[in-house]
Amino acid sequence: MSLSFRDLATLAEFSEVVNLERRIWGPGYEDVVPVPILAVTVKRGGILVGAFDGDRMVGFVYSMAGLKDGRPTQWSHMLGVAEEYRDAGLGFRLKLLQRERALAMGLDLVEWTFDPMQAANAHLNFAKLGVIVEEYEENAYGESASPLHAGNPTDRFVAEWWIRKPHVERRVALSGPFVLESSEIADARPANRMRAAGEWLECAGVDLSLDVRRLTVQIPVGFTDMLSRNPELALAWRLRTREIFTTYFARGYRAVDFHLDRTARLGAYLLTRN
């Protein structure tokens, strides 16, 4: 597979991005970023990089100029990769190009939201990019018509990517993802436990009373499939994890890493006291 990358700057390229948005997020998705918004934000400090297989656009990353506490930042609104290219590390390569552009602007921080129930995204964001999270937004985007959300509340983490920090530099320089071994979180107390429920895993109990240096929050792998095939269980997971994260974030904890166990089909966030 021979892929190329370039900054997008023409109306025709912006139209390709819109078409790809609709392909990725599915029929009925109404929250596409339209051509005029892409054009204006790119003209005034946004970053929009496309990935191409030959002449066909197969992925993009899009962020807009922002301010946080009076400091200029980038708010990364969308990272999209065509389904058949999602196991090729394309999302990671696009994020590295976004970081390169942001560094050239003299910036320190890129932020974005992602669904805390999506284990693959958590693995990319924590293990490969080195983000931290201390904000949880309940139903951040309201009801979504995308089949990827299936009526589930659009709860989101706010990822902070401090692109100049040594921690981030070490992560992005690795030839593969950093692997947080289970032994490294063995001394962390679990805030929840899971048990088998047919072909799925369900949350078997929650502990909101922990007062420890490190704790873990487990999630199942395959949440998108659960949304379409067992929406009641997916909603139960959403509400239980919402309760855990909002409780502990309010107490000064933040998520600093993620352990993915594909064999057991589960992941675990590592939270430490801020």
Side-chain angles (χ1 to χ4, degrees):
M1 183 186 303
S2 179
L3 298 174
S4 61
F5 303 85
R6 66 172 183 265
D7 294 288
L8 307 179
T10 70
L11 294 177
E13 290 171 334
F14 300 153
S15 293
E16 286 188 77
V17 171
V18 172
N19 291 335
L20 189 53
E21 288 178 60
R22 292 194 172 109
R23 282 173 48 203
I24 292 170
W25 277 271
Y29 182 63
E30 299 176 350
D31 297 327
V32 297
V33 180
V35 169
I37 299 300
L38 294 173
V40 169
T41 52
V42 167
K43 187 181 291 290
R44 287 296 181 264
I47 297 170
L48 181 56
V49 181
F52 294 83
D53 187 352
D55 294 331
R56 185 165 70 102
M57 186 184 295
V58 296
F60 70 94
V61 64
Y62 166 61
S63 61
M64 61 192 79
L67 288 173
K68 183 172 185 177
D69 301 325
R71 299 173 59 184
T73 66
Q74 284 282 313
W75 181 268
S76 188
H77 182 62
M78 275 185 165
L79 171 65
V81 175
E83 184 174 5
E84 61 272 28
Y85 292 83
R86 288 177 193 165
D87 294 328
L90 184 51
F92 178 61
R93 294 172 70 180
L94 285 164
K95 293 300 289 187
L96 292 187
L97 290 170
Q98 183 185 55
R99 176 176 182 262
E100 180 183 289
R101 304 313 192 257
L103 287 170
M105 294 175 178
L107 303 179
D108 299 307
L109 176 64
V110 181
E111 294 182 289
W112 62 90
T113 61
F114 74 95
D115 187 342
M117 289 302 301
Q118 294 289 350
N121 284 352
H123 178 67
L124 168 64
N125 290 330
F126 285 93
K128 300 183 75 171
L129 298 176
V131 307
I132 62 171
V133 170
E134 52 192 10
E135 291 183 54
Y136 187 100
E137 296 287 343
E138 297 184 21
N139 204 25
Y141 301 113
E143 294 298 319
S144 170
S146 171
L148 297 181
H149 302 144
N152 201 273
T154 54
D155 288 21
R156 296 293 183 264
F157 274 166
V158 179
E160 298 178 19
W161 197 24
W162 293 94
I163 56 178
R164 296 181 187 272
K165 296 280 189 182
H167 166 75
V168 169
E169 292 178 344
R170 288 193 297 269
R171 291 289 169 100
V172 301
L174 292 172
S175 57
F178 173 81
V179 179
L180 182 69
E181 300 293 345
S182 56
S183 59
E184 296 180 70
I185 58 175
D187 67 332
R189 295 279 299 279
N192 69 328
R193 298 186 183 278
M194 294 200 281
R195 67 184 174 206
E199 64 178 302
W200 308 101
L201 292 170
E202 67 178 5
C203 188
V206 168
D207 188 345
L208 301 178
S209 65
L210 296 176
D211 185 14
V212 292
R213 186 172 67 90
R214 290 147 58 96
L215 61 87
T216 59
V217 182
Q218 294 184 323
I219 65 167
V221 168
F223 189 68
T224 299
D225 192 30
M226 187 188 295
L227 281 169
S228 60
R229 297 176 56 202
N230 196 333
E232 295 83 5
L233 181 59
L235 180 59
W237 267 110
R238 174 72 74 206
L239 297 179
R240 298 310 295 273
T241 52
R242 173 193 288 179
E243 183 181 30
I244 297 169
F245 288 122
T246 55
T247 296
Y248 284 106
F249 284 178
R251 292 183 191 163
Y253 287 84
R254 64 180 180 174
V256 298
D257 230 319
F258 185 77
H259 172 69
L260 179 62
D261 186 338
R262 289 189 172 89
T263 301
R265 292 188 55 77
L266 61 84
Y269 288 100
L270 177 64
L271 274 62
T272 63
R273 210 185 288 276
N274 195 352

